[in-house]
Amino acid sequence: MSSYYLCSIGSNIDPELHVEQVITELVTRFGRVTLSPFIYTDPVGIASQSRFLNALFWFNTAQPEGQVKAQFNALEKSHGRDRSDSERSVKDRTLDLDIIAVSATPQFEAPSESYLQPIVQSLFADQALPAGVEFAELNVAGLKLGNRATAVDLDPTTRHISISD
């Protein structure tokens, strides 16, 4: 039986580099990934001057939650995050991948984190970002992601990534 996962991506150390790379890695591991726009946010809960690049995403997989989380941890580590550091949750980070919700359907309650609110409606209701929100245009496998929710796929035959709105 498969489940739908609602997750978040965050980075405030070379964020464009790490986020662009991890999107390809996520699609390779989980298949189609539907992404919100990527926005810049101020740090919450850590003492840092470096802004974060954040997004929400969801995907469907038969992998159990523990296995998905283990893969997220491995991806964070491969991008330079020290998972053994007891202070890791209050430090700058190259990559932060979190599971927000798991569901039998692609229907989720909106996450409560205030810094994610500008992208919630964009992901779930295909609405434009609110005025004043700074979004990032990213380049994934030579394709541009912008200020709209986007599905990213990997063709299993050619191993090419494709993007659709």
Side-chain angles (χ1 to χ4, degrees), residues 142-159:
L143 304 168
K144 292 246 185 244
L145 298 177
N147 64 346
R148 296 184 54 122
T150 307
V152 181
D153 290 296
L154 179 69
D155 183 309
T157 306
T158 65
R159 306 295 292 168

Side-chain angles (χ1 to χ4, degrees), residues 18-95:
H18 293 287
V19 170
E20 286 176 356
Q21 290 174 350
V22 82
I23 293 168
T24 301
E25 295 164 344
L26 288 167
V27 172
T28 300
R29 290 173 187 246
F30 300 109
R32 174 179 272 216
V33 174
T34 301
L35 297 152
S36 72
F38 289 85
I39 61 170
Y40 291 99
T41 62
D42 292 328
V44 175
I46 68 171
S48 177
Q49 299 304 311
S50 300
R51 294 176 66 205
F52 275 83
L53 182 59
N54 288 108
L56 291 170
F57 65 99
W58 67 268
F59 61 93
N60 179 266
T61 184
Q63 296 178 33
E65 187 172 353
Q67 188 174 356
V68 171
K69 183 59 180 167
Q71 290 189 60
F72 282 8
N73 290 350
L75 287 167
E76 290 174 352
K77 186 175 178 182
S78 75
H79 283 262
R81 188 162 185 200
D82 182 359
R83 302 262 337 139
S84 66
D85 183 348
S86 62
E87 299 288 313
R88 71 183 176 274
S89 64
V90 293
K91 290 184 174 180
D92 293 325
R93 57 206 68 161
T94 54
L95 189 62

Side-chain angles (χ1 to χ4, degrees), residues 1-7 57-65 68 99-110 124:
M1 182 168 127
S2 66
S3 296
Y4 291 87
Y5 287 80
L6 175 63
C7 307
F57 65 99
W58 67 268
F59 61 93
N60 179 266
T61 184
Q63 296 178 33
E65 187 172 353
V68 171
I99 298 170
I100 295 174
V102 181
S103 175
T105 68
Q107 305 298 316
F108 302 100
E109 287 189 33
F124 297 116

